[in-house]
Amino acid sequence: MKMKKIFLIILLGCLFAGNPKSLACDLCGCGNGGSFWGIMPQSHKAFIGLRYGQKSYDSHLNSLNSQTHEDFWKTELWARAFPFKKVQVLAFVPYNFNRQTIIKTGKQLDMQGIGDVSTFVNYNLLNTITDTIPHKIYHNLLIGGGVKLPTGSYKYDMLSDDEVANPNFQLGTGSTDFMANIVYTMRYKSWGLNYDFSYKMNTQNSNEYRFGNRINTNLSALYFITIANQITLIPNAGLAYESASLDEKSGIRNIRTGGDALLGSFGMESYFKKISVGVNYQSPIAQNLSDGELRANSRLNIHFTLMI
């Protein structure tokens, strides 16, 4: 059975339908993937904080002359507000640093700057976690959507030899993109389950390049530990899956883009008064990127968040 089918079964196999083909990467690691939600800090409180993310790729694996290694570092300001009781607004403002290293020569190409800003509006469809009435099992369900703006630099021109790397290496996509998402959390005594799903629909940019639509989804088991009624620790482990369709240039599909990846995920969330600190590590279990020419490596995400 194919990896994609196995994972969709693991992810309750039933929540969403669709047939995405691949994780768009033009023989280069991609720093402009879908949103990483992770385990959100206390769902009923506004917050502001910083997130740091790191991921890397190895590309042109079957070419001795063209092999490259790409690193993507992102520092992101994120915030959440509640304009209405059941409505939450989230904003993400990233600053990206990208580095591509040509293995044969050791030459490095660097690019840094503001990435694409995004914002989401979620509606709290179900929430028994904040009820004053005790429940045996607690649920929290958020549904919503958002928009990603082309605030990050996108200067790549496939006809020019002077531009850096390729479309996936840019600070932004150069396009206005739209997203839909769902976040579900369940808790029973000291155990919990967290599931998030996001679908990103990309539009064509001014270079007539359109990145493939993307799916990002995560499923994690949680365990709640309370220390002296002041500190809460939440170790967690699960699976993450990514998939997207082929990129297009002037309406023509790029068959050298694409792939999907299944990753194991391990992390820890901690809460002390108004402070939340979390870390998440992901390592590939199986992947198929750019027909075997691209390999994703392990990833790390850290956040420091202040409840307000």
mmCIF file of all heavy atoms in Angstrom, residues 47 53 58 66 123 154 158 197 211 225 229 243 272 274 302 305:
data_model
loop_
_atom_site.group_PDB
_atom_site.id
_atom_site.type_symbol
_atom_site.label_atom_id
_atom_site.label_comp_id
_atom_site.label_asym_id
_atom_site.label_seq_id
_atom_site.Cartn_x
_atom_site.Cartn_y
_atom_site.Cartn_z
ATOM 1 N N PHE A 47 -2.556 36.060 22.666
ATOM 2 C CA PHE A 47 -1.127 35.950 22.936
ATOM 3 C C PHE A 47 -0.327 36.699 21.893
ATOM 4 O O PHE A 47 -0.824 37.081 20.827
ATOM 5 C CB PHE A 47 -0.679 34.489 23.012
ATOM 6 C CG PHE A 47 -0.788 33.710 21.710
ATOM 7 C CD1 PHE A 47 0.039 33.985 20.622
ATOM 8 C CD2 PHE A 47 -1.693 32.668 21.583
ATOM 9 C CE1 PHE A 47 -0.048 33.262 19.441
ATOM 10 C CE2 PHE A 47 -1.787 31.935 20.405
ATOM 11 C CZ PHE A 47 -0.962 32.234 19.338
ATOM 12 N N GLY A 53 11.946 28.459 13.281
ATOM 13 C CA GLY A 53 11.873 27.201 12.556
ATOM 14 C C GLY A 53 13.099 26.988 11.691
ATOM 15 O O GLY A 53 13.651 27.945 11.117
ATOM 16 N N ASP A 58 18.492 18.261 0.715
ATOM 17 C CA ASP A 58 19.582 17.946 -0.205
ATOM 18 C C ASP A 58 18.958 17.695 -1.571
ATOM 19 O O ASP A 58 17.973 16.940 -1.686
ATOM 20 C CB ASP A 58 20.347 16.707 0.266
ATOM 21 C CG ASP A 58 21.041 16.936 1.591
ATOM 22 O OD1 ASP A 58 21.867 17.851 1.676
ATOM 23 O OD2 ASP A 58 20.733 16.204 2.557
ATOM 24 N N SER A 66 25.925 18.847 -9.743
ATOM 25 C CA SER A 66 24.865 19.794 -9.395
ATOM 26 C C SER A 66 24.315 19.644 -7.981
ATOM 27 O O SER A 66 23.382 20.356 -7.605
ATOM 28 C CB SER A 66 23.701 19.654 -10.394
ATOM 29 O OG SER A 66 24.147 19.862 -11.715
ATOM 30 N N TYR A 123 -13.263 30.167 13.666
ATOM 31 C CA TYR A 123 -14.489 30.169 14.465
ATOM 32 C C TYR A 123 -14.490 28.948 15.376
ATOM 33 O O TYR A 123 -14.236 27.826 14.932
ATOM 34 C CB TYR A 123 -15.726 30.146 13.567
ATOM 35 C CG TYR A 123 -17.025 30.146 14.333
ATOM 36 C CD1 TYR A 123 -17.501 31.310 14.934
ATOM 37 C CD2 TYR A 123 -17.773 28.973 14.467
ATOM 38 C CE1 TYR A 123 -18.692 31.317 15.648
ATOM 39 C CE2 TYR A 123 -18.966 28.969 15.175
ATOM 40 C CZ TYR A 123 -19.416 30.145 15.763
ATOM 41 O OH TYR A 123 -20.596 30.146 16.473
ATOM 42 N N TYR A 154 10.249 38.205 -4.331
ATOM 43 C CA TYR A 154 10.262 37.140 -5.336
ATOM 44 C C TYR A 154 10.799 37.757 -6.623
ATOM 45 O O TYR A 154 10.108 38.522 -7.291
ATOM 46 C CB TYR A 154 8.866 36.564 -5.562
ATOM 47 C CG TYR A 154 8.844 35.425 -6.577
ATOM 48 C CD1 TYR A 154 8.978 34.111 -6.163
ATOM 49 C CD2 TYR A 154 8.724 35.676 -7.943
ATOM 50 C CE1 TYR A 154 8.993 33.071 -7.081
ATOM 51 C CE2 TYR A 154 8.743 34.641 -8.868
ATOM 52 C CZ TYR A 154 8.870 33.342 -8.432
ATOM 53 O OH TYR A 154 8.899 32.303 -9.348
ATOM 54 N N MET A 158 13.168 32.557 -14.799
ATOM 55 C CA MET A 158 13.765 31.334 -15.349
ATOM 56 C C MET A 158 14.651 31.627 -16.560
ATOM 57 O O MET A 158 15.474 30.799 -16.944
ATOM 58 C CB MET A 158 12.662 30.349 -15.737
ATOM 59 C CG MET A 158 11.863 29.825 -14.557
ATOM 60 S SD MET A 158 10.559 28.670 -15.036
ATOM 61 C CE MET A 158 11.544 27.261 -15.545
ATOM 62 N N PHE A 197 -5.269 20.418 10.241
ATOM 63 C CA PHE A 197 -5.284 20.208 8.790
ATOM 64 C C PHE A 197 -5.362 21.580 8.135
ATOM 65 O O PHE A 197 -6.160 22.419 8.529
ATOM 66 C CB PHE A 197 -6.501 19.364 8.399
ATOM 67 C CG PHE A 197 -6.700 19.212 6.904
ATOM 68 C CD1 PHE A 197 -6.249 18.082 6.249
ATOM 69 C CD2 PHE A 197 -7.355 20.190 6.172
ATOM 70 C CE1 PHE A 197 -6.439 17.934 4.884
ATOM 71 C CE2 PHE A 197 -7.549 20.060 4.799
ATOM 72 C CZ PHE A 197 -7.090 18.922 4.151
ATOM 73 N N PHE A 211 2.803 28.034 -7.715
ATOM 74 C CA PHE A 211 3.198 26.898 -6.887
ATOM 75 C C PHE A 211 2.006 25.958 -6.707
ATOM 76 O O PHE A 211 0.853 26.391 -6.647
ATOM 77 C CB PHE A 211 3.696 27.381 -5.524
ATOM 78 C CG PHE A 211 4.999 28.115 -5.582
ATOM 79 C CD1 PHE A 211 5.029 29.489 -5.790
ATOM 80 C CD2 PHE A 211 6.200 27.442 -5.442
ATOM 81 C CE1 PHE A 211 6.230 30.169 -5.848
ATOM 82 C CE2 PHE A 211 7.411 28.112 -5.503
ATOM 83 C CZ PHE A 211 7.426 29.490 -5.711
ATOM 84 N N ILE A 225 1.036 16.935 32.366
ATOM 85 C CA ILE A 225 1.675 16.771 33.666
ATOM 86 C C ILE A 225 1.630 18.114 34.399
ATOM 87 O O ILE A 225 2.124 19.122 33.879
ATOM 88 C CB ILE A 225 3.148 16.329 33.510
ATOM 89 C CG1 ILE A 225 3.237 15.026 32.712
ATOM 90 C CG2 ILE A 225 3.809 16.180 34.873
ATOM 91 C CD1 ILE A 225 4.660 14.659 32.318
ATOM 92 N N ASN A 229 0.712 22.704 40.853
ATOM 93 C CA ASN A 229 -0.402 23.545 40.413
ATOM 94 C C ASN A 229 0.050 24.837 39.731
ATOM 95 O O ASN A 229 -0.734 25.777 39.597
ATOM 96 C CB ASN A 229 -1.315 23.892 41.584
ATOM 97 C CG ASN A 229 -2.077 22.692 42.096
ATOM 98 O OD1 ASN A 229 -2.520 21.846 41.304
ATOM 99 N ND2 ASN A 229 -2.219 22.585 43.408
ATOM 100 N N SER A 243 1.723 17.327 1.387
ATOM 101 C CA SER A 243 1.494 16.942 0.004
ATOM 102 C C SER A 243 1.039 18.159 -0.785
ATOM 103 O O SER A 243 0.415 19.068 -0.232
ATOM 104 C CB SER A 243 0.414 15.854 -0.066
ATOM 105 O OG SER A 243 0.148 15.503 -1.411
ATOM 106 N N PHE A 272 3.758 28.244 32.322
ATOM 107 C CA PHE A 272 3.970 28.763 33.674
ATOM 108 C C PHE A 272 3.368 30.165 33.726
ATOM 109 O O PHE A 272 3.855 31.081 33.066
ATOM 110 C CB PHE A 272 5.456 28.810 34.035
ATOM 111 C CG PHE A 272 5.740 29.436 35.363
ATOM 112 C CD1 PHE A 272 5.361 28.794 36.539
ATOM 113 C CD2 PHE A 272 6.362 30.671 35.448
ATOM 114 C CE1 PHE A 272 5.613 29.380 37.772
ATOM 115 C CE2 PHE A 272 6.619 31.253 36.681
ATOM 116 C CZ PHE A 272 6.239 30.605 37.843
ATOM 117 N N LYS A 274 1.712 33.171 32.693
ATOM 118 C CA LYS A 274 1.351 33.704 31.381
ATOM 119 C C LYS A 274 2.363 33.350 30.295
ATOM 120 O O LYS A 274 2.269 33.842 29.166
ATOM 121 C CB LYS A 274 1.200 35.223 31.453
ATOM 122 C CG LYS A 274 0.024 35.689 32.293
ATOM 123 C CD LYS A 274 -0.127 37.204 32.214
ATOM 124 C CE LYS A 274 -1.363 37.664 32.969
ATOM 125 N NZ LYS A 274 -1.558 39.139 32.857
ATOM 126 N N ILE A 302 10.600 26.021 17.487
ATOM 127 C CA ILE A 302 10.597 26.454 18.891
ATOM 128 C C ILE A 302 9.752 27.722 18.997
ATOM 129 O O ILE A 302 9.755 28.552 18.084
ATOM 130 C CB ILE A 302 12.039 26.760 19.369
ATOM 131 C CG1 ILE A 302 12.918 25.517 19.245
ATOM 132 C CG2 ILE A 302 12.046 27.251 20.810
ATOM 133 C CD1 ILE A 302 14.400 25.813 19.484
ATOM 134 N N THR A 305 6.023 32.305 23.951
ATOM 135 C CA THR A 305 4.760 33.013 23.791
ATOM 136 C C THR A 305 4.298 33.575 25.125
ATOM 137 O O THR A 305 4.398 32.905 26.171
ATOM 138 C CB THR A 305 3.685 32.057 23.227
ATOM 139 O OG1 THR A 305 4.179 31.467 22.006
ATOM 140 C CG2 THR A 305 2.397 32.797 22.938
#
